[in-house]
Structures are given as structure tokens and as C-alpha cells.
Amino acid sequence: IKMNIPLIDLQAQYKSLEEELNKAALEVLSSAKYIMGENVIEFEKEFANYVGVKHAISVGNGTDALVLALKAMGIKSGDEVITTPFTFFATAEAISAVGAVPVFVDVEKETFNIDVTKIEEKITNKTKAIIPVHIFGQAADMDEINKIAKKHNLLVLEDACQAIGGKYKGKNIGALADAACFSFFPTKNLGCAGDGGMIVTDNDDIAIIARALRTHGSGENGQKAYNLLNNITEEVKTAEGVDDTVYNPLKYYNYLIGYNTRLDAIQAALLRIKLKEIDKWNAKRREIVKIYNDALQNSDYVTPFCREDVEHVYHMYILQSEKREEVIAKLKKAGVATGVYYPIPLHLQKVYKDLGYKEGDMPVAEYLSHRTFAIPVYPELTKEQVEYILSRLA
């Protein structure tokens, strides 16, 4: 019997928490407090607590999180930022958006993460930061990255958009660098019902500037950020815990050129419920991965490698095949959805042709882009569905 199995089943996730999610959404609707307010403040506290950092600053999406974090770290026009070409476009796009130049470093064949042995050769006197991406939910080699950064006086920003709940040597992803960014896009392990993102940091200055930037550089955070950037010490008047839906008197005093990027109150309310489930969901993903890995170990497929010192959260379960297109077509016919991450590495994207990269410059990323594909691994998959997928891969 043919089954239809999506790559990610958001309806199944919604059904599992339907009553709670509906109740929370309706409470926000009836409160008429839609911008900032209590749910956002509480979710930020809960998220910071979960990751194990001092500050969590919610924003409109993961891309904005990266842009604001870079801005708050002082990355500007003419700076260079080292990152990976084997990731979603937003990582490099954010670097370009603040006027800096992305400098690509090839990835490791096993983990798909940035190859730390190739970072130093790309550092110049313009290099200001490194953005490692914990791709598909597996931590990059952060000790080595932080060591290189320290030696060359660089900042490190974790792109943790795919890696909520992951660990590196017992420590939480998101608490391993100067700052980190998360995405709550609906398909992420922790996803909302729309767009959402978060910046986390232990650095008070980065937090103040990021908070100011998300709302037009205005209000008390705008003033604090302005004072900080201009070495001014003065008392700043506050409007604590305000709901910005109707009127906040401090909103009309602007100190920096900022952005307008906030997490909706309704999304924060939904995310507060889902945050309680994330560890359970990630554990379920790892269970499914074990079944896949065991079943496929003697097949022609290359199964995902997981470092011993990390806890992988398998945002995607990535297989490799020499006959990728054939396999994908066969699975599609059987009703099993797949995804190709990523068909074109970032250094070969049209938009970056001015950077002068050519085919052959990042051999590992290019090799992977022709072979990798994802099969379903979401926590709501049933035993029957997993068995069906495996039978169709055979």
C-alpha cells in the first residue's frame, strides 16, 4: 500500500498540542496586546535559561537575528567574516547585509561543518569574525574555532538556526561563543506558526545594542546603546515591561538607525509551549536516526556521521548517494518526500560571482552538493512510516 509521507509534517505536530496551542493563541488575541508584552518577555527569559545564557533578544526571524547580531558586534562595511559555503543563504546574506564580505572556507566531508584546519589561511587584516554553522543540528568544532578567534582577536557568532537543543562537549549550542542566533521557522525543530528568531549572548553590550536595533534604535535601549557606543554615562529613564501595541512614550526618541523586527506576541506564546517539548522531540529524532543508521549500514548510502563529543539534534537526516536523482525519483513515486540541501554551495551562487570564486575552490562542499539529500526524520513519524521509508530505500 502506498503511503504519503511529507519531509516534515507540521500538522502532526500541531495535532499533538492542539488544545494548548489554540488556548494560548486565543488568549493573546483576546488580550489585544500583540507587540512585545508579557509573552515575549517571558519567552526570552525561558529561552535564555534553556540555553544557559544571560540574554535572549527575540526578533522577527533567523536572518534578522544574524544581521542584528553582526551589527551589535560592530561588524561593518569593509570587514571580512569567515563562514561556510555549505549552508542556507541567510548566513552569508547577513554578512553582506551589514556591508561586510563573506569569506568562504570549505567543510569537512564527514560532519558537513566548517573545516577548522582551513580557517587560518583565510584570515587577513580585514577579518573581524567567524560564523560557524551547526549544520543540520551537529555542533561545529567550537574549541578549535574559539582558539583561532582568540589568537587573531576575532569575534565568533554561532549560527545555531538548525541546532536548538544540541550540545558540544556537554555544553549547550548557543552558549559557545560571543553570541548565537536561532530561527523558529515552522520547519525547525522548535518552530512557530510563522517567522521568528532569537539572538542569545552573555555579553551585556551586544544585548543592549541588539535590543535597540530591533525597534528603530529608539527608547530606553536606544539611549543605552547610544551612550554605550559614545562612552556616555548617564541615568536612562525606563518604561519596564511595556506593551508596544498602542503607545509607548519612549518610542519617539531615536538614537541609532535600527530595524523593525520583533517576535509577535502570538508566536512567543506558542513557542513557550513548544520549548517544554523540545528535548523530548529531539530525543525522538535520535531514536529514528538509530533505526535508519542500523538498517542502512551495509547499503550503498552514506549515513550521517556524528562526532562522539556532540549531541546531534538531526534537524535533517542527510544521506549521500552517487545516484541521488534516481533515488529521489524512486522515493517520490513511492510517496516519500525528500529535500536537497544544498544544491548550489554559496560560493557558486550568482549573487556572489563578484567575489571571484570558481568551481573547484571548495571541493568538499561541491562534492556534497551533488550527493546529499534528506529523508523524513520528524518526531511524529510512526514505526510503520519509518519501515515504509526504509523498504523504499532498499
Side-chain angles (χ1 to χ4, degrees):
I1 309 148
K2 183 178 167 180
M3 284 189 179
N4 273 313
I5 306 173
L7 189 56
I8 292 157
D9 190 344
L10 295 178
Q11 267 171 330
Q13 191 190 75
Y14 166 67
K15 283 273 178 267
S16 71
L17 294 167
E18 185 170 10
E19 272 179 52
E20 231 181 319
L21 293 172
N22 288 355
K23 184 169 172 272
L26 288 171
E27 273 169 13
V28 175
L29 280 175
S30 63
S31 78
K33 293 176 178 173
Y34 304 139
I35 306 286
M36 304 309 282
E38 186 195 357
N39 270 304
V40 173
I41 292 164
E42 287 308 309
F43 176 58
E44 288 179 341
K45 281 184 197 156
E46 289 156 11
F47 195 85
N49 190 32
Y50 176 81
V51 174
V53 289
K54 264 165 82 175
H55 307 283
I57 303 100
S58 60
V59 292
N61 54 66
T63 308
D64 285 357
L66 290 162
V67 172
L68 266 64
L70 286 168
K71 268 271 218 249
M73 292 164 110
I75 306 300
K76 56 191 184 309
S77 192
D79 292 343
E80 290 176 356
V81 179
I82 287 173
T83 194
T84 161
F86 195 68
T87 177
F88 182 60
F89 182 57
T91 311
E93 183 181 34
I95 296 167
S96 302
V98 299
V101 178
V103 173
F104 296 112
V105 168
D106 208 359
V107 294
E108 300 170 338
K109 207 169 183 176
E110 283 73 37
T111 65
F112 316 142
N113 277 319
I114 193 164
D115 185 339
V116 292
T117 66
K118 294 180 179 156
I119 292 176
E120 276 196 284
E121 65 199 48
K122 296 287 181 90
I123 295 173
T124 70
N125 57 3
K126 290 182 179 168
T127 311
K128 294 291 186 290
I130 305 172
I131 305 184
V133 178
H134 305 303
I135 200 75
F136 308 129
Q138 171 159 234
D141 186 352
M142 291 305 295
D143 283 355
E144 207 46 47
I145 290 164
N146 286 330
K147 204 157 80 186
I148 294 166
K150 203 173 171 183
K151 180 175 157 188
H152 297 274
N153 201 17
L154 307 175
L155 292 157
V156 180
L157 174 62
E158 296 174 71
D159 181 337
C161 289
Q162 300 185 2
I164 177 72
K167 288 186 169 57
Y168 171 80
K169 298 188 177 178
K171 286 168 75 175
N172 286 335
I173 283 178
L176 304 166
D178 295 292
C181 295
F182 292 89
S183 164
F184 306 124
F185 188 77
T187 58
K188 296 290 192 283
N189 294 26
L190 179 66
C192 58
D195 272 313
M198 186 76 84
I199 300 160
V200 297
T201 183
D202 276 327
N203 182 308
D204 299 342
D205 296 357
I206 290 174
I208 288 167
I209 300 168
R211 280 201 182 97
L213 289 172
R214 76 172 162 186
T215 45
H216 307 288
S218 70
E220 99 183 67
N221 286 311
Q223 195 179 348
K224 281 183 190 167
Y226 179 84
N227 293 350
L228 181 68
L229 294 167
N230 295 286
N231 297 318
I232 301 166
T233 47
E234 64 173 342
E235 206 51 48
V236 173
K237 60 172 194 281
T238 62
E240 268 305 301
V242 290
D243 154 43
D244 277 358
T245 306
V246 182
Y247 182 71
N248 167 6
L250 299 183
K251 173 165 147 175
Y252 303 100
Y253 297 84
N254 302 83
Y255 302 88
L256 311 174
I257 300 294
Y259 300 84
N260 175 23
T261 174
R262 292 171 290 226
L263 184 68
D264 285 337
I266 206 159
Q267 304 299 355
L270 302 176
L271 286 163
R272 290 180 71 190
I273 293 164
K274 291 184 173 190
L275 185 61
K276 299 187 184 96
E277 309 292 327
I278 190 63
D279 288 341
K280 191 176 81 187
W281 287 344
N282 284 341
K284 187 79 177 74
R285 285 173 183 266
R286 282 190 289 271
E287 274 173 40
I288 294 165
V289 166
K290 186 159 173 11
I291 298 168
Y292 281 158
N293 285 350
D294 290 348
L296 297 170
Q297 62 181 347
N298 297 318
S299 70
D300 290 340
Y301 301 104
V302 178
T303 55
F305 170 86
C306 178
R307 287 174 54 130
E308 280 181 4
D309 53 4
V310 310
E311 199 164 288
H312 202 324
V313 293
Y314 296 99
H315 169 55
M316 293 288 169
Y317 181 81
I318 303 290
L319 287 171
Q320 294 177 57
S321 169
E322 295 290 347
K323 305 178 190 152
R324 178 174 73 187
E325 306 319 315
E326 271 176 55
V327 175
I328 286 174
K330 184 170 81 167
L331 288 171
K332 188 181 177 185
K333 211 173 151 190
V336 178
T338 55
V340 172
Y341 304 93
Y342 294 92
I344 301 177
L346 299 187
H347 67 290
L348 298 178
Q349 294 285 357
K350 280 236 164 49
V351 67
Y352 283 135
K353 69 174 190 294
D354 298 353
L355 295 181
Y357 291 97
K358 58 193 184 310
E359 219 159 314
D361 285 350
M362 309 273 146
V364 182
E366 292 166 30
Y367 170 86
L368 294 171
S369 71
H370 295 296
R371 294 166 53 96
T372 52
F373 67 100
I375 60 169
V377 72
Y378 53 89
E380 297 79 16
L381 277 172
T382 63
K383 194 165 163 270
E384 292 71 33
Q385 286 174 315
V386 171
E387 282 167 7
Y388 179 84
I389 293 166
L390 284 169
S391 73
R392 295 305 182 270
L393 274 167

